[in-house]
Structure formats: structure tokens, C-alpha cells
């Protein structure tokens, strides 16, 4: 039986969290707002309205591209992409065609040696949102259009078809989500549609161990309407199974767009693309092309904060804490800052970074102590007071009991007052570092065994 290797390429849309929309002054914060309240002639596509580009959105796109090791085009422009659909009032979308802002990047899949090449990252405008309402019958159903989302800046990133397993796809996408949150350019919430995923998938016959570009299958199936990582994982696995079944029987997989039915755990055909759509792209005549100087690009680069991959590496080198702790901290920038501040305050004298991380993560102490100063003061107090282990406590108890046979005898004769005396002796032996409650419990246990 022939073996098949999945070939997967991704298209990811990310809505930028700018104040205003891409080509007008309307608010870009559209989620759950009263429909059609954040609109103007530009984003409604009224005749004669003139768009002007949001520079902040362009800057954020370039920042994203630099973070994905892309080359930034010194010359770029916007183009009109034509198609007809009710969510697109102008009949075309302002997008980028042959000169996108960013090209030819590469990005490391976390916890893997593999890099994925990024084909392009471009900027476009989001469409309006269609809301379908079904009446008693299909004929009575209506579709409503909410233009609040129309014209919100939308970044599209396209990878080369270089993923060969589902785990890598998910890790890569989770890292992209984290990255844009670090950059502060998007909330990247999938349930709000600020991050949208499309996966293209085909199966190649395994000939060599590694896939060569000439082995690229001559078809691809596009999975659409994916709104969570979990959903994408299941959809890809179901689609791989389906394609395998067809190919093993000697069949051909149809090039098409498919959705995923979670209930039945199968993908289903949505739209068959006979041939490539002709979008009749041409340069947007109302927006002048954009030119970047080297210093402008350097300027944007200098605004990029420490990114997740660099943070992981630094935390490991500087603190030597476990991979599990590092991951928890990297996923939560606020908490990571709290941890680092705590280490700085403690000065690494009595408390190790490991014990600070442990106390923070296992006991959620950052919720109890708002300031890392209080947190460290607390840790120092308890570590000074009680750092005898249970084993040390039990050893001390054994020693105290054998040295004080008279007191033990008194206890068994019903004089429970001696307990206080015995606790004192144990504490003395531990130099006051045993936790009283623990000593008491262990002592009574030992006496009852005696
Ligand atoms: P289109 O012109 O239909 O948009 P592209 O070649 O531009 O197709 O690729 C779109 C997406 O599909 C990219 O993410 C790319 O990585 C992916 N892709 C291209 N060919 C394949 C293939 N044979 N199998 C899986 N994914 C593919
Ligand atoms: Mg495409
Ligand atoms: Zn507007």
C-alpha cells in the first residue's frame, strides 16, 4: 500500500486593532456594536467617496512581516480585487496584488527544527458582515448587511505548502496568535473573528523521505469556516482520511472548497472551483503607491518588543527553569513580567528562580499579592520560618521521643499536657524551622504508634 504525506498550506487573516478603519475615519472596533452605526460614505462604498490609507495599519503590517523574517518591499501599492457579493458594496475590495508589503519570510515552528516559508503578507479591507435570518420557510428568510466591519484593516498571511503534519500546523498557528498579541496589533480572538484560518490540503505519494517541490500534487482542497484550533485539527484529520480513501482506490480528489461537520466528523463540499477566479486586479487609482526608506523600516523594526521565541530562550538561559514553567510564563506576558520582577527583587540570595516560579505558578500567588514586593516578602517569611521537610520533622520527633521517655510515659498515662513540651523540644531541634501544625500532627501520630 502506498504511503501518503499530507501537504498543507495556510492562509491566515488577522484583523488589526487600529483605532480607525483602513480607508476612512470610522471606528474599527466593530465587535457587538449596534449594526450600521460605524459607517460613512467611504466604507459604504458610495459613489465619489475617496479613500485615504491608515498609516498605522501599514506600520503594523510591516512590523508583523519583520517579525516573520519577511523582506519588506520598498515599493508597494494597493490594488482593486473585483468580485460581486452583497458584503462588498463597491464591487471590489481594496487589497494588494503584485507588490504586497511583505514577501519571502520564514518562521520556525515551536518545538521543532522545521521552518515554514512565508509567501507573502499583505493588507486589505474587511468586508461587511452578512446576517442570515430564517423565517418560517426558506422563502421568508432574509439576509441583513452590517457595514460596521466593512473597511476594517485586515492582514492576510500566506504560507508555502510546507506543513506535512497536523501538529505542526496547530503549533505554528498558536505561535502566530501569540506573536500578534505580543506585537499588540490584534486581539486575534477566533471566536470574535479577529483571526480566521483557511487550510489548503492535498496528499503526496511518499517517494523519498522528504517532500520535494516537484512532488506537489496538482490539486488542493481548501477548508473554510474554521473558527478554532481544535476544530481545524479535527477537520484536517477528517480530510486526510477522506483523501487517502479516494487515492487508495485509484480515484482523483476534486479541487474544491469544503466545510467541516463536527457532529458527523466529516468534511463536505461547499463550492467547486472549476478554474481560477478572474478578479481583474488593477492598481487602486485613488491611493498613491507607498515607498519606504531604509530608515523608516529600521524605525519600525526598533519598535518590535521581545518576541515569544526569544523570550523562551532568554528565560531558559537566565533562570534555568523547566520548559513547562517557561511555557506558562511566555503564554502570559503580564505574569512573566511579574516573575522577572520578583527574581530581581529577591536578588537570588535565599530564593531560587525555580522556587519563585513554583510558588507563583502552582499557588497562583500573583493573584493574592498584587505587588511582586509583597510576594517576595511573603516567600522569604515562610521560607525562613518553615523550611524543614516532613522527613526532617519525623526524624526530629523520633529523636525527641527516645530522649524523653518519661514524657512519653506520662502521655500514655493520660497526661496530654506533655505534648506542648514535646513540640517545644522538636522545634528546638529544628531551630524553629518546622511548621507547628505539621509537628503537632506528626507527633501525635508517632505517640499513638509508640
Ligand atoms: P490560489 O492561486 O488558488 O490562491 P496559491 O498557489 O496561491 O493558490 O496557494 C494558496 C494556498 O494554497 C497557499 O497557502 C499555498 O501554500 C497552498 N497550496 C498551494 N498548492 C497546494 C497543494 N498542492 N496542496 C496544499 N496546499 C497548497
Ligand atoms: Mg488565495
Ligand atoms: Zn467609514
Amino acid at each position: 500500500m502506498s504511503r501518503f504525506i499530507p501537504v498543507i498550506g495556510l492562509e491566515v487573516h488577522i484583523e488589526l486593532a487600529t483605532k480607525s478603519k483602513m480607508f476612512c475615519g470610522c471606528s474599527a472596533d466593530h465587535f457587538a456594536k449596534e449594526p450600521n452605526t460605524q459607517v460613512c460614505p467611504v466604507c459604504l462604498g458610495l459613489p465619489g467617496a475617496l479613500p485615504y490609507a491608515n498609516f498605522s495599519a501599514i506600520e503594523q503590517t510591516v512590523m508583523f512581516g519583520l517579525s516573520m523574517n519577511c523582506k519588506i518591499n520598498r515599493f508597494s501599492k494597493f490594488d482593486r480585487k473585483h468580485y460581486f457579493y452583497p458584503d462588498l458594496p463597491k464591487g471590489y475590495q481594496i487589497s494588494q496584488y503584485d507588490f504586497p508589503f511583505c514577501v519571502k519570510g520564514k518562521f520556525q515552528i515551536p518545538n521543532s527544527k522545521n521552518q515554514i516559508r512565508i509567501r507573502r503578507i499583505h493588507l486589505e479591507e474587511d468586508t461587511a458582515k452578512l446576517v442570515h435570518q430564517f423565517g418560517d420557510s426558506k422563502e421568508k428568510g432574509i439576509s441583513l448587511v452590517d457595514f460596521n466591519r466593512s473597511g476594517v484593516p485586515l492582514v492576510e498571511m500566506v504560507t508555502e505548502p510546507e506543513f506535512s503534519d497536523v501538529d505542526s500546523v496547530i503549533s505554528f498557528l498558536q505561535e502566530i496568535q501569540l506573536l500578534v498579541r505580543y506585537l499588540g496589533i490584534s486581539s486575534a480572538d477566533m471566536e470574535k473573528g479577529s483571526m480566521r484560518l483557511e487550510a489548503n490540503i492535498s496528499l503526496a505519494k511518499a517517494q523519498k523521505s522528504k517532500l520535494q517541490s516537484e512532488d506537489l500534487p496538482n490539486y488542493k482542497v481548501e477548508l473554510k469556516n474554521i473558527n478554532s484550533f481544535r476544530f481545524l485539527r479535527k477537520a484536517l484529520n477528517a480530510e486526510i482520511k477522506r483523501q487517502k480513501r479516494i487515492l487508495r482506490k485509484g480515484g482523483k480528489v476534486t479541487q474544491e472548497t469544503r466545510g467541516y461537520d463536527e457532529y458527523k466528523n466529516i468534511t463536505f463540499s461547499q463550492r467547486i472551483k472549476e478554474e481560477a477566479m478572474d478578479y481583474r486586479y488593477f492598481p487602486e487609482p485613488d491611493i498613491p503607491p507607498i515607498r519606504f526608506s531604509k530608515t523608516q523600516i529600521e524605525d519600525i523594526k526598533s519598535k518590535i518588543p521581545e518576541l515569544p521565541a526569544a523570550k523562551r530562550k532568554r528565560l531558559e538561559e537566565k533562570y534555568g527553569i523547566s520548559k513547562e514553567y517557561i511555557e506558562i510564563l511566555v503564554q502570559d506576558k503580564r505574569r512573566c513580567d511579574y516573575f522577572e520582577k520578583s527574581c530581581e527583587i529577591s536578588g537570588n540570595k535565599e530564593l531560587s528562580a525555580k522556587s519563585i516560579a513554583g510558588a507563583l505558578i502552582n499557588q497562583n500567588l500573583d493573584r493574592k499579592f498584587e505587588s511582586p514586593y509583597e510576594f517576595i516578602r511573603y516567600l522569604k517569611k515562610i521560607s525562613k520560618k518553615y523550611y524543614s521537610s516532613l522527613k526532617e520533622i519525623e526524624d526530629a520527633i523520633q529523636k525527641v521521643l527516645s530522649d524523653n521517655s518519661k514524657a512519653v510515659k506520662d502521655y500514655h498515662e493520660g497526661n496530654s499536657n506533655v505534648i506542648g513540651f514535646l513540640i517545644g523540644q522538636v522545634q528546638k531541634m529544628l531551630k524553629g524551622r518546622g511548621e507547628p501544625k505539621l509537628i503537632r500532627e506528626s507527633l501525635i501520630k508517632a505517640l499513638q504508634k509508640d
Side-chain angles (χ1 to χ4, degrees):
M1 204 188 274
S2 29
R3 244 173 39 79
F4 293 101
I5 304 178
V7 178
I8 303 168
L10 302 172
E11 291 165 276
V12 181
H13 282 91
I14 288 163
E15 229 173 40
L16 296 178
T18 48
K19 266 209 189 85
S20 51
K21 291 187 182 179
M22 190 59 229
F23 299 112
C24 62
C26 295
S27 170
D29 178 17
H30 63 87
F31 187 75
K33 294 280 156 38
E34 178 79 16
N36 296 310
T37 53
Q38 305 187 343
V39 293
C40 75
V42 173
C43 55
L44 286 172
L46 300 186
L50 274 177
Y52 48 97
N54 179 340
F55 187 71
S56 180
I58 295 176
E59 215 175 37
Q60 292 181 14
T61 306
V62 170
M63 200 188 248
F64 181 42
L66 288 169
S67 308
M68 302 208 67
N69 307 296
C70 285
K71 183 176 156 296
I72 307 303
N73 274 327
R74 298 278 295 277
F75 171 90
S76 40
K77 64 181 174 69
F78 287 101
D79 300 275
R80 292 185 178 180
K81 177 184 180 179
H82 298 81
Y83 64 94
F84 177 75
Y85 206 62
D87 63 3
L88 194 67
K90 299 192 292 296
Y92 60 85
Q93 178 189 33
I94 306 180
S95 181
Q96 294 191 286
Y97 183 51
D98 45 358
F99 292 95
F101 288 122
C102 324
V103 292
K104 292 192 173 129
K106 50 186 188 311
F107 198 70
Q108 188 91 28
I109 302 172
N111 304 314
S112 145
K113 286 186 204 81
N114 295 341
Q115 279 195 336
I116 296 297
R117 284 180 300 148
I118 309 303
R119 184 179 291 174
R120 58 186 281 144
I121 297 176
H122 71 250
L123 184 54
E124 58 192 28
E125 55 178 340
D126 208 346
T127 58
K129 199 181 165 108
L130 293 179
V131 183
H132 305 288
Q133 291 185 347
F134 297 100
D136 315 332
S137 65
K138 214 172 172 170
E139 291 72 40
K140 282 188 188 160
I142 51 164
S143 289
L144 304 167
V145 192
D146 174 8
F147 287 93
N148 286 349
R149 198 182 69 180
S150 171
V152 169
L154 192 64
V155 165
E156 179 174 347
M157 182 201 51
V158 183
T159 76
E160 294 295 341
E162 291 183 337
F163 295 91
S164 52
D165 67 282
V166 178
D167 282 342
S168 298
V169 169
I170 305 294
S171 312
F172 174 90
L173 288 169
Q174 285 173 333
E175 188 74 355
I176 297 299
Q177 184 181 52
L178 189 62
L179 175 77
V180 301
R181 286 177 178 168
Y182 267 56
L183 291 174
I185 62 174
S186 174
S187 69
D189 282 329
M190 274 185 287
E191 63 281 10
K192 289 185 186 164
S194 335
M195 181 170 174
R196 297 171 221 158
L197 317 173
E198 282 156 42
N200 300 275
I201 172 160
S202 59
L203 293 186
K205 240 195 199 121
Q207 274 143 0
K208 310 158 200 102
S209 61
K210 190 139 176 54
L211 195 71
Q212 308 288 314
S213 60
E214 59 266 28
D215 303 333
L216 205 63
N218 60 0
Y219 75 92
K220 61 182 193 295
V221 169
E222 186 170 6
L223 293 176
K224 271 213 157 126
N225 300 319
I226 307 285
N227 47 25
S228 74
F229 295 130
R230 191 183 60 84
F231 200 80
L232 176 61
R233 179 187 293 281
K234 291 170 95 175
L236 281 172
N237 284 329
E239 181 58 18
I240 289 171
K241 244 197 226 156
R242 185 187 74 91
Q243 291 190 13
K244 265 187 192 163
R245 219 176 291 130
I246 295 172
L247 293 173
R248 283 205 174 122
K249 278 194 266 180
K252 261 177 83 176
V253 179
T254 311
Q255 169 139 333
E256 61 184 339
T257 301
R258 297 180 74 88
Y260 174 65
D261 180 335
E262 192 177 21
Y263 184 66
K264 295 187 187 147
N265 191 26
I266 52 164
T267 64
F268 59 90
S269 179
Q270 281 184 322
R271 188 157 57 105
I272 297 187
K273 276 189 198 169
E274 299 274 302
E275 54 215 89
M277 265 276 265
D278 181 5
Y279 292 116
R280 295 182 292 118
Y281 278 103
F282 69 73
E284 166 60 59
D286 291 334
I287 301 170
I290 296 102
R291 281 170 219 274
F292 281 108
S293 70
K294 268 203 175 116
T295 28
Q296 270 175 311
I297 295 172
E298 284 306 313
D299 248 25
I300 297 175
K301 201 174 203 166
S302 70
K303 290 182 195 163
I304 298 177
E306 180 181 40
L307 298 179
K311 203 185 243 340
R312 281 190 195 97
K313 195 153 165 267
R314 188 175 60 77
L315 290 177
E316 186 174 356
E317 283 166 4
K318 188 164 176 189
Y319 303 105
I321 52 178
S322 71
K323 281 220 155 36
E324 287 72 27
Y325 282 164
I326 290 177
E327 207 44 47
I328 290 169
L329 294 173
V330 167
Q331 292 296 326
D332 188 341
K333 197 168 165 300
R334 190 201 58 80
R335 207 165 195 201
C336 189
D337 292 345
Y338 187 101
F339 164 74
E340 293 209 73
K341 185 78 197 160
S342 301
C343 289
E344 191 191 312
I345 295 164
S346 116
N348 217 352
K349 281 196 203 90
E350 298 129 87
L351 297 164
S352 67
K354 211 181 257 173
S355 64
I356 294 174
L360 181 62
I361 291 164
N362 300 333
Q363 299 172 50
N364 290 323
L365 286 173
D366 51 329
R367 273 190 225 141
K368 197 164 155 201
F369 301 104
E370 205 174 295
S371 130
Y373 285 96
E374 287 166 39
F375 167 56
I376 288 299
R377 202 176 305 138
Y378 168 78
L379 279 190
K380 283 191 172 162
K381 202 173 83 190
I382 59 165
S383 77
K384 242 191 222 122
K385 244 182 165 161
Y386 312 125
Y387 60 81
S388 296
S389 67
L390 185 60
K391 172 87 177 43
E392 283 177 283
I393 291 175
E394 285 169 347
D395 288 351
I397 288 173
Q398 282 315 315
K399 185 98 193 2
V400 166
L401 293 187
S402 64
D403 287 354
N404 296 278
S405 45
K406 164 112 193 358
V408 175
K409 204 168 142 244
D410 287 353
Y411 173 81
H412 287 302
E413 281 166 4
N415 181 4
S416 55
N417 287 339
V418 295
I419 286 195
F421 164 74
L422 290 171
I423 289 175
Q425 294 302 303
V426 173
Q427 199 62 287
K428 205 164 141 192
M429 191 164 273
L430 294 171
K431 300 196 170 70
R433 295 171 316 189
E435 202 212 327
K437 199 164 151 256
L438 203 57
I439 296 179
R440 181 177 209 94
E441 284 166 6
S442 308
L443 183 66
I444 289 173
K445 230 192 263 165
L447 281 168
Q448 279 164 358
K449 253 196 276 170
D450 228 41

